[in-house]
Amino acid sequence: MVATSQPLAAQAGLFVLREGGSAADAAIATAAALTVLEPTSNGLGGDVFALAWRGGELHGLNASGAAPARWNMETLGGNPIPRHGWTPVTVPGGVRGWADLHAEFGKLPFARLLEPAIQYARRGYPLSPEVARHWARAAQSYCLLKGPEFAEWFKVFMPQGFTPVAGAVWASEDHARTLERIAESHGADFYDGHTARAIDDASRQVGGFLSADDLAQHASEWVTPISAAYQDHEVWEIPPSGQGIAALIALRLLDGMDLPPQRDDPRALHAQIEAIKLAFADAHKLVADQRHSEVPVEFLLSEAHRQMLRQSITDTAHDPQTRPPSSGGTVYLATADGEGNMVSFIQSNYMGFGSGVVVPGTGVALHNRGHNFNVEEGHANRLAPGKRPYHTIIPGFLTRQGQAVGPFGVMGGFMQPQGHVQVVLNTVRSGLNPQAAIDAPRWQWLAGKEIEVEYEMGQPVIRELIRMGHTVRVQTEKASFGRGQIIWRTPEGVLMGGSESRADGQVAAF
């Protein structure tokens, strides 16, 4: 089974499973296809995180890149980190992540996995409705960007005569050739080959910080996943530099609380919102690259910390006095093979297409992940060369009594931990099936006491949340609430999937 946000990408993963590939093979094929089929949220120039279940054990992969060696606080000159251009571009770790995941868990030849993506890039494909909508929105905002570094984005993604509407056909021969070089070299070309040299040349021409040396020195990191119990299940996340710990802190606070049984009871929703605020306050203060800053993971998930935070949850909304979340662009996918192996996989260019920089002649759209560094003196997540920024992308995994239930995720910037909490509660507490757990109306904390809810939440619930002190904004734009995927495996080996109704996605199985 494959579940992801674009139907043709799901079929690419299914093709690999039919060929005898593993869950990891299917994840790589789907991810590679998504760089072509949903470039509005990810690309070859982004990062990857993954959780892989095999042989009764969960493995974590942090395939995110660090700040270039030449980028530091002095180079900012006291200015804030920009959203676009070369400045916020950190080393893209995604392609190396594909190669490392394949080396550890793959069965089919690596080049075989990229064939569907190469064909879609070369021959073209029709835009699906949600992708087209986000593409058109990006074109409007990118028109405001000035500078030679943005010219290639318009050449590649808004070529002469192309209008991003549903059904419009888009192709990129440059992207196809880069994928072929990646396929032939098992990813090495991106870090020490033709593509690496092209990135280095483009960066030097406009004074960017990213260099060939930064690319050549990059490596993924296999990490030990972290977890928290909720009722009789265990929820697993990638440790910091990812923000998955925020979901775990919130679930720890909610576990054992005397909440009303109804899923949409305002008092239950209020408790969830207050818990996620407290979790974000911790995350925004402490989450960082653990190679540079010590993150007290054990303490943050401890009973003492839980009891201390619980004292802050009352019947009235509170202001956590932490910076507000921001938006992002990400794709999430889940895969499962016939041998019980499963992968929870997420990759991102961060804010939509990312930095707005496309490397000439390659089709590589570079992410702007460095925008998420902090510039405050002494902050754990402060910008430094060779340091990974606080990372929003978080794949999730659910187990029960040590046995795999399956992968899940909700993409979308700082909505992700909030989405994880809601999906887990919908599944474990409310007993909803995967599709219902994803489709249920969502909320998200924005800043201070301000929250946003989908209009399906209903007026009675909204009025009660307002009475409890929340400033409530009703939102009809569903994309801001994230886009989730789920695959659960029953003890009998039956797979159940759910794919986000807020996107163009699909669950594909055989």
Side-chain angles (χ1 to χ4, degrees), residues 350-410:
Y350 193 32
M351 296 178 179
F353 281 92
S355 64
V357 174
V358 176
V359 180
T362 68
V364 175
L366 294 168
H367 62 178
N368 57 343
R369 184 58 62 177
H371 181 74
N372 210 32
F373 274 119
N374 197 295
V375 296
E376 297 175 15
E377 183 73 38
H379 196 282
N381 185 44
R382 193 171 196 245
L383 167 64
K387 185 177 182 178
R388 295 184 182 121
Y390 175 120
H391 226 291
T392 59
I393 62 174
I394 52 171
F397 204 91
L398 195 64
T399 61
R400 185 180 187 186
Q401 298 176 353
Q403 299 299 310
V405 176
F408 73 97
V410 178

Side-chain angles (χ1 to χ4, degrees), residues 17-68:
L17 289 173
R18 286 185 176 276
E19 292 279 303
S22 65
D25 289 334
I28 296 162
T30 305
L34 282 167
T35 68
V36 181
L37 299 167
E38 199 172 334
T40 50
S41 297
N42 78 124
L44 293 172
D47 284 340
V48 159
F49 282 7
L51 291 167
W53 178 270
R54 187 179 70 171
E57 186 177 355
L58 192 63
H59 307 262
L61 178 65
N62 181 333
S64 66

Side-chain angles (χ1 to χ4, degrees), residues 46-205:
D47 284 340
V48 159
F49 282 7
L51 291 167
W53 178 270
R54 187 179 70 171
E57 186 177 355
L58 192 63
H59 307 262
L61 178 65
N62 181 333
S64 66
R70 294 185 294 171
W71 189 27
N72 54 47
M73 291 300 301
E74 287 69 35
T75 58
L76 284 176
N79 297 312
I81 300 173
R83 286 173 176 258
H84 299 108
W86 276 96
T87 298
V89 178
T90 50
V91 177
V95 171
R96 179 60 49 79
W98 296 352
D100 290 341
L101 187 67
H102 178 263
E104 191 72 21
F105 301 117
K107 291 174 63 178
L108 298 182
F110 184 73
R112 183 73 166 149
L113 310 181
L114 272 58
E115 288 179 5
I118 292 167
Q119 292 305 314
Y120 282 127
R122 176 158 288 139
R123 298 178 181 177
Y125 67 95
L127 270 61
S128 50
E130 281 299 297
V131 169
R133 192 165 66 88
H134 289 288
W135 202 310
R137 180 181 296 174
Q140 287 184 331
S141 63
Y142 281 26
C143 281
L144 303 175
L145 301 178
K146 307 300 181 184
E149 64 268 37
F150 303 116
E152 189 74 4
W153 186 92
F154 290 96
K155 178 182 175 182
V156 171
F157 293 111
M158 291 296 291
Q160 187 87 19
F162 173 75
T163 302
V165 295
V169 176
W170 179 81
S172 173
E173 178 62 26
D174 287 347
H175 197 134
R177 286 197 296 266
T178 298
L179 282 167
E180 285 176 332
R181 288 190 288 267
I182 290 170
E184 292 164 1
S185 66
H186 203 265
D189 174 80
F190 196 95
Y191 300 95
D192 191 19
H194 178 279
T195 304
R197 290 189 294 274
I199 294 171
D200 183 80
D201 289 344
S203 177
R204 290 180 184 275
Q205 287 177 18

Side-chain angles (χ1 to χ4, degrees), residues 410-412 415 442 444 478-484 500 502:
V410 178
M411 63 196 88
M415 176 63 200
R442 292 187 190 138
Q444 65 173 318
K478 289 183 171 293
S480 66
F481 291 91
R483 302 174 298 158
E500 184 60 70
R502 299 166 184 82

Side-chain angles (χ1 to χ4, degrees), residues 155-507:
K155 178 182 175 182
V156 171
F157 293 111
M158 291 296 291
Q160 187 87 19
F162 173 75
T163 302
V165 295
V169 176
W170 179 81
S172 173
E173 178 62 26
D174 287 347
H175 197 134
R177 286 197 296 266
T178 298
L179 282 167
E180 285 176 332
R181 288 190 288 267
I182 290 170
E184 292 164 1
S185 66
H186 203 265
D189 174 80
F190 196 95
Y191 300 95
D192 191 19
H194 178 279
T195 304
R197 290 189 294 274
I199 294 171
D200 183 80
D201 289 344
S203 177
R204 290 180 184 275
Q205 287 177 18
V206 295
F209 300 117
L210 186 62
S211 72
D213 287 342
D214 296 315
L215 292 165
Q217 293 170 18
H218 169 74
S220 305
E221 182 180 3
W222 289 99
V223 296
T224 302
I226 58 176
S227 68
Y230 183 78
Q231 294 189 6
D232 59 345
H233 287 67
E234 303 85 37
V235 184
W236 296 85
E237 302 279 356
I238 294 286
S241 58
Q243 65 173 344
I245 194 169
L248 300 183
I249 293 169
L251 288 167
R252 289 269 300 153
L253 289 171
L254 294 167
D255 189 33
M257 289 183 68
D258 185 18
L259 300 178
Q262 293 80 12
R263 195 207 74 84
D264 57 353
D265 188 293
R267 291 170 297 167
L269 297 175
H270 167 77
Q272 296 169 41
I273 295 164
E274 295 304 291
I276 203 70
K277 289 179 188 178
L278 293 167
F280 266 126
D282 278 342
H284 287 165
K285 180 181 179 181
L286 297 169
V287 166
D289 185 348
Q290 293 195 78
R291 302 172 306 172
H292 290 251
S293 303
E294 184 178 354
V295 182
V297 172
E298 186 175 348
F299 168 73
L300 291 173
L301 298 178
S302 69
E303 180 62 24
H305 190 58
R306 174 167 76 160
Q307 293 301 329
M308 181 186 71
L309 290 183
R310 270 191 176 174
Q311 297 174 20
S312 301
I313 299 179
T314 67
D315 294 335
T316 305
H318 86 286
D319 184 345
Q321 299 293 314
T322 187
R323 67 184 176 93
S326 59
S327 60
T330 302
V331 294
Y332 174 80
L333 64 98
T335 63
D337 62 29
E339 298 177 0
N341 305 309
M342 309 172 97
V343 174
S344 183
F345 189 103
I346 195 161
Q347 68 184 17
S348 172
N349 266 16
Y350 193 32
M351 296 178 179
F353 281 92
S355 64
V357 174
V358 176
V359 180
T362 68
V364 175
L366 294 168
H367 62 178
N368 57 343
R369 184 58 62 177
H371 181 74
N372 210 32
F373 274 119
N374 197 295
V375 296
E376 297 175 15
E377 183 73 38
H379 196 282
N381 185 44
R382 193 171 196 245
L383 167 64
K387 185 177 182 178
R388 295 184 182 121
Y390 175 120
H391 226 291
T392 59
I393 62 174
I394 52 171
F397 204 91
L398 195 64
T399 61
R400 185 180 187 186
Q401 298 176 353
Q403 299 299 310
V405 176
F408 73 97
V410 178
M411 63 196 88
F414 290 91
M415 176 63 200
Q416 293 182 53
Q418 307 187 60
H420 280 211
V421 168
Q422 292 172 73
V423 165
V424 169
L425 266 63
N426 290 346
T427 299
V428 178
R429 183 170 176 269
S430 300
L432 301 184
N433 67 55
Q435 193 61 54
I438 288 174
D439 287 344
R442 292 187 190 138
W443 53 264
Q444 65 173 318
W445 170 64
L446 298 177
K449 298 181 181 182
E450 186 178 1
I451 64 170
E452 200 169 65
V453 300
E454 291 185 295
Y455 69 90
E456 292 92 343
M457 197 73 79
Q459 288 188 5
V461 173
I462 293 169
R463 282 197 297 266
E464 184 62 15
L465 287 172
I466 292 172
R467 190 196 66 77
M468 299 175 84
H470 300 279
T471 301
V472 182
R473 181 193 303 174
V474 180
Q475 178 61 267
T476 58
E477 171 53 76
K478 289 183 171 293
S480 66
F481 291 91
R483 302 174 298 158
Q485 314 292 331
I486 292 174
I487 296 177
W488 300 148
R489 190 175 190 272
T490 71
E492 295 76 28
V494 175
L495 299 174
M496 302 183 294
S499 184
E500 184 60 70
S501 58
R502 299 166 184 82
D504 301 316
Q506 182 185 55
V507 178

